mmCIF file of all heavy atoms in Angstrom:
data_model
loop_
_atom_site.group_PDB
_atom_site.id
_atom_site.type_symbol
_atom_site.label_atom_id
_atom_site.label_comp_id
_atom_site.label_asym_id
_atom_site.label_seq_id
_atom_site.Cartn_x
_atom_site.Cartn_y
_atom_site.Cartn_z
ATOM 1 N N ASN K 159 0.893 -1.146 0.046
ATOM 2 C CA ASN K 159 0.025 0.024 -0.027
ATOM 3 C C ASN K 159 0.936 1.267 -0.006
ATOM 4 O O ASN K 159 1.371 1.734 1.028
ATOM 5 C CB ASN K 159 -0.935 0.034 1.213
ATOM 6 C CG ASN K 159 -1.876 -1.054 1.177
ATOM 7 O OD1 ASN K 159 -2.427 -1.487 0.174
ATOM 8 N ND2 ASN K 159 -2.255 -1.647 2.317
ATOM 9 N N LEU K 160 1.144 1.761 -1.213
ATOM 10 C CA LEU K 160 2.043 2.919 -1.316
ATOM 11 C C LEU K 160 1.219 4.108 -1.653
ATOM 12 O O LEU K 160 0.230 4.072 -2.428
ATOM 13 C CB LEU K 160 3.059 2.678 -2.453
ATOM 14 C CG LEU K 160 3.974 1.567 -2.208
ATOM 15 C CD1 LEU K 160 4.950 1.368 -3.421
ATOM 16 C CD2 LEU K 160 4.882 1.867 -0.987
ATOM 17 N N SER K 161 1.546 5.209 -1.114
ATOM 18 C CA SER K 161 0.941 6.503 -1.444
ATOM 19 C C SER K 161 1.954 7.533 -1.593
ATOM 20 O O SER K 161 2.935 7.543 -0.724
ATOM 21 C CB SER K 161 -0.132 6.849 -0.351
ATOM 22 O OG SER K 161 0.431 7.165 0.826
ATOM 23 N N SER K 162 1.800 8.403 -2.488
ATOM 24 C CA SER K 162 2.915 9.453 -2.610
ATOM 25 C C SER K 162 2.243 10.767 -2.053
ATOM 26 O O SER K 162 1.092 11.106 -2.341
ATOM 27 C CB SER K 162 3.271 9.626 -4.118
ATOM 28 O OG SER K 162 2.134 10.076 -4.912
ATOM 29 N N LYS K 163 3.042 11.506 -1.267
ATOM 30 C CA LYS K 163 2.671 12.752 -0.746
ATOM 31 C C LYS K 163 3.719 13.699 -1.075
ATOM 32 O O LYS K 163 4.939 13.395 -1.429
ATOM 33 C CB LYS K 163 2.629 12.588 0.758
ATOM 34 C CG LYS K 163 1.494 11.673 1.234
ATOM 35 C CD LYS K 163 1.514 11.515 2.729
ATOM 36 C CE LYS K 163 0.419 10.529 3.240
ATOM 37 N NZ LYS K 163 0.514 10.433 4.639
ATOM 38 N N PRO K 164 3.512 15.115 -1.003
ATOM 39 C CA PRO K 164 4.487 16.025 -1.215
ATOM 40 C C PRO K 164 5.553 15.886 -0.130
ATOM 41 O O PRO K 164 5.359 15.400 1.004
ATOM 42 C CB PRO K 164 3.762 17.334 -1.128
ATOM 43 C CG PRO K 164 2.291 17.003 -1.245
ATOM 44 C CD PRO K 164 2.126 15.618 -0.879
ATOM 45 N N ALA K 165 6.766 16.308 -0.404
ATOM 46 C CA ALA K 165 7.906 16.297 0.496
ATOM 47 C C ALA K 165 7.600 17.135 1.709
ATOM 48 O O ALA K 165 6.946 18.264 1.607
ATOM 49 C CB ALA K 165 9.211 16.603 -0.153
ATOM 50 N N LYS K 166 7.931 16.597 2.912
ATOM 51 C CA LYS K 166 7.841 17.449 4.037
ATOM 52 C C LYS K 166 8.765 18.553 4.181
ATOM 53 O O LYS K 166 8.429 19.664 4.691
ATOM 54 C CB LYS K 166 7.926 16.540 5.373
ATOM 55 C CG LYS K 166 6.871 15.601 5.500
ATOM 56 C CD LYS K 166 7.060 14.765 6.818
ATOM 57 C CE LYS K 166 5.996 13.740 6.953
ATOM 58 N NZ LYS K 166 6.220 12.908 8.072
ATOM 59 N N HIS K 167 9.942 18.364 3.688
ATOM 60 C CA HIS K 167 10.989 19.400 3.686
ATOM 61 C C HIS K 167 11.587 19.504 2.272
ATOM 62 O O HIS K 167 11.973 18.515 1.708
ATOM 63 C CB HIS K 167 12.159 19.019 4.613
ATOM 64 C CG HIS K 167 11.761 18.823 6.041
ATOM 65 N ND1 HIS K 167 11.300 19.766 6.920
ATOM 66 C CD2 HIS K 167 11.585 17.719 6.641
ATOM 67 C CE1 HIS K 167 11.020 19.322 8.008
ATOM 68 N NE2 HIS K 167 11.085 17.914 7.982
ATOM 69 N N ASN K 168 11.470 20.684 1.686
ATOM 70 C CA ASN K 168 12.029 20.921 0.405
ATOM 71 C C ASN K 168 13.616 20.965 0.479
ATOM 72 O O ASN K 168 14.135 21.706 1.352
ATOM 73 C CB ASN K 168 11.500 22.130 -0.354
ATOM 74 C CG ASN K 168 10.032 21.941 -0.636
ATOM 75 O OD1 ASN K 168 9.656 20.901 -0.948
ATOM 76 N ND2 ASN K 168 9.292 23.127 -0.658
ATOM 77 N N ILE K 169 14.310 20.299 -0.312
ATOM 78 C CA ILE K 169 15.775 20.303 -0.365
ATOM 79 C C ILE K 169 16.146 21.083 -1.635
ATOM 80 O O ILE K 169 15.823 20.849 -2.691
ATOM 81 C CB ILE K 169 16.311 18.866 -0.455
ATOM 82 C CG1 ILE K 169 15.819 18.123 0.795
ATOM 83 C CG2 ILE K 169 17.816 18.914 -0.426
ATOM 84 C CD1 ILE K 169 16.241 16.617 0.792
ATOM 85 N N THR K 170 17.029 22.110 -1.316
ATOM 86 C CA THR K 170 17.559 22.982 -2.433
ATOM 87 C C THR K 170 18.530 22.267 -3.309
ATOM 88 O O THR K 170 19.147 21.213 -2.863
ATOM 89 C CB THR K 170 18.166 24.254 -1.843
ATOM 90 O OG1 THR K 170 19.353 23.866 -1.187
ATOM 91 C CG2 THR K 170 17.161 24.987 -0.982
ATOM 92 N N ALA K 171 18.799 22.793 -4.471
ATOM 93 C CA ALA K 171 19.815 22.220 -5.332
ATOM 94 C C ALA K 171 21.141 22.197 -4.764
ATOM 95 O O ALA K 171 21.994 21.274 -4.903
ATOM 96 C CB ALA K 171 19.777 23.027 -6.634
ATOM 97 N N ALA K 172 21.410 23.218 -3.942
ATOM 98 C CA ALA K 172 22.809 23.344 -3.342
ATOM 99 C C ALA K 172 22.907 22.234 -2.276
ATOM 100 O O ALA K 172 23.954 21.638 -2.152
ATOM 101 C CB ALA K 172 22.947 24.784 -2.683
ATOM 102 N N GLU K 173 21.866 21.983 -1.483
ATOM 103 C CA GLU K 173 21.924 20.950 -0.415
ATOM 104 C C GLU K 173 22.166 19.554 -1.159
ATOM 105 O O GLU K 173 22.871 18.690 -0.696
ATOM 106 C CB GLU K 173 20.735 20.968 0.414
ATOM 107 C CG GLU K 173 20.517 22.158 1.300
ATOM 108 C CD GLU K 173 19.265 22.161 1.989
ATOM 109 O OE1 GLU K 173 18.196 21.678 1.428
ATOM 110 O OE2 GLU K 173 19.244 22.630 3.132
ATOM 111 N N GLN K 174 21.402 19.409 -2.257
ATOM 112 C CA GLN K 174 21.540 18.074 -3.061
ATOM 113 C C GLN K 174 22.970 17.974 -3.546
ATOM 114 O O GLN K 174 23.669 16.859 -3.561
ATOM 115 C CB GLN K 174 20.555 18.054 -4.257
ATOM 116 C CG GLN K 174 19.112 17.867 -3.679
ATOM 117 C CD GLN K 174 18.170 17.966 -5.018
ATOM 118 O OE1 GLN K 174 18.562 17.816 -6.138
ATOM 119 N NE2 GLN K 174 16.876 17.953 -4.606
ATOM 120 N N ALA K 175 23.620 19.153 -4.025
ATOM 121 C CA ALA K 175 24.962 19.036 -4.610
ATOM 122 C C ALA K 175 25.998 18.667 -3.505
ATOM 123 O O ALA K 175 26.832 17.859 -3.667
ATOM 124 C CB ALA K 175 25.224 20.284 -5.279
ATOM 125 N N VAL K 176 25.724 19.298 -2.316
ATOM 126 C CA VAL K 176 26.720 18.919 -1.221
ATOM 127 C C VAL K 176 26.570 17.612 -0.760
ATOM 128 O O VAL K 176 27.551 16.751 -0.589
ATOM 129 C CB VAL K 176 26.325 19.963 0.032
ATOM 130 C CG1 VAL K 176 27.060 19.448 1.219
ATOM 131 C CG2 VAL K 176 26.789 21.344 -0.315
ATOM 132 N N ALA K 177 25.305 16.980 -0.738
ATOM 133 C CA ALA K 177 25.056 15.586 -0.278
ATOM 134 C C ALA K 177 25.622 14.608 -1.393
ATOM 135 O O ALA K 177 26.223 13.595 -0.927
ATOM 136 C CB ALA K 177 23.578 15.383 -0.173
ATOM 137 N N MET K 178 25.469 14.905 -2.578
ATOM 138 C CA MET K 178 25.980 14.066 -3.611
ATOM 139 C C MET K 178 27.490 14.097 -3.638
ATOM 140 O O MET K 178 28.179 13.015 -3.740
ATOM 141 C CB MET K 178 25.503 14.430 -4.980
ATOM 142 C CG MET K 178 23.941 14.195 -5.247
ATOM 143 S SD MET K 178 23.438 12.488 -5.036
ATOM 144 C CE MET K 178 24.247 11.697 -6.490
ATOM 145 N N THR K 179 28.101 15.236 -3.406
ATOM 146 C CA THR K 179 29.536 15.397 -3.442
ATOM 147 C C THR K 179 30.134 14.532 -2.195
ATOM 148 O O THR K 179 31.131 13.852 -2.360
ATOM 149 C CB THR K 179 30.002 16.877 -3.280
ATOM 150 O OG1 THR K 179 29.522 17.585 -4.390
ATOM 151 C CG2 THR K 179 31.581 16.935 -3.197
ATOM 152 N N ALA K 180 29.497 14.657 -1.012
ATOM 153 C CA ALA K 180 29.938 13.923 0.110
ATOM 154 C C ALA K 180 29.887 12.419 -0.067
ATOM 155 O O ALA K 180 30.712 11.668 0.292
ATOM 156 C CB ALA K 180 29.086 14.422 1.386
ATOM 157 N N LEU K 181 28.682 11.999 -0.742
ATOM 158 C CA LEU K 181 28.542 10.628 -1.045
ATOM 159 C C LEU K 181 29.679 10.160 -1.960
ATOM 160 O O LEU K 181 30.225 9.038 -1.724
ATOM 161 C CB LEU K 181 27.129 10.350 -1.728
ATOM 162 C CG LEU K 181 26.806 8.977 -1.927
ATOM 163 C CD1 LEU K 181 26.661 8.121 -0.684
ATOM 164 C CD2 LEU K 181 25.459 8.914 -2.690
ATOM 165 N N PHE K 182 29.987 10.811 -3.137
ATOM 166 C CA PHE K 182 31.001 10.412 -3.922
ATOM 167 C C PHE K 182 32.291 10.302 -3.342
ATOM 168 O O PHE K 182 33.032 9.509 -3.569
ATOM 169 C CB PHE K 182 31.006 11.355 -5.217
ATOM 170 C CG PHE K 182 29.806 11.163 -6.133
ATOM 171 C CD1 PHE K 182 29.138 12.246 -6.723
ATOM 172 C CD2 PHE K 182 29.310 9.865 -6.499
ATOM 173 C CE1 PHE K 182 28.070 11.960 -7.540
ATOM 174 C CE2 PHE K 182 28.282 9.681 -7.278
ATOM 175 C CZ PHE K 182 27.654 10.729 -7.917
ATOM 176 N N VAL K 183 32.611 11.317 -2.475
ATOM 177 C CA VAL K 183 33.953 11.384 -1.850
ATOM 178 C C VAL K 183 34.012 10.217 -0.802
ATOM 179 O O VAL K 183 35.047 9.577 -0.827
ATOM 180 C CB VAL K 183 34.107 12.751 -1.058
ATOM 181 C CG1 VAL K 183 35.356 12.747 -0.204
ATOM 182 C CG2 VAL K 183 34.332 13.819 -2.140
ATOM 183 N N ALA K 184 32.945 9.915 -0.152
ATOM 184 C CA ALA K 184 32.994 8.858 0.840
ATOM 185 C C ALA K 184 33.120 7.523 0.073
ATOM 186 O O ALA K 184 33.852 6.554 0.805
ATOM 187 C CB ALA K 184 31.710 8.861 1.625
#
């Protein structure tokens, strides 16, 4: 039983870029 809802917290492009960079480096 899956339902899609809007995100509770919007993540900016800058935050996504920082997270992806940290993931790639790790």
Side-chain angles (χ1 to χ4, degrees):
N159 294 326
L160 298 176
S161 64
S162 61
K163 297 178 183 177
K166 291 181 181 178
H167 305 285
N168 289 332
I169 299 175
T170 65
E173 290 172 330
Q174 289 178 10
V176 168
M178 292 300 287
T179 303
L181 181 67
F182 288 138
V183 167

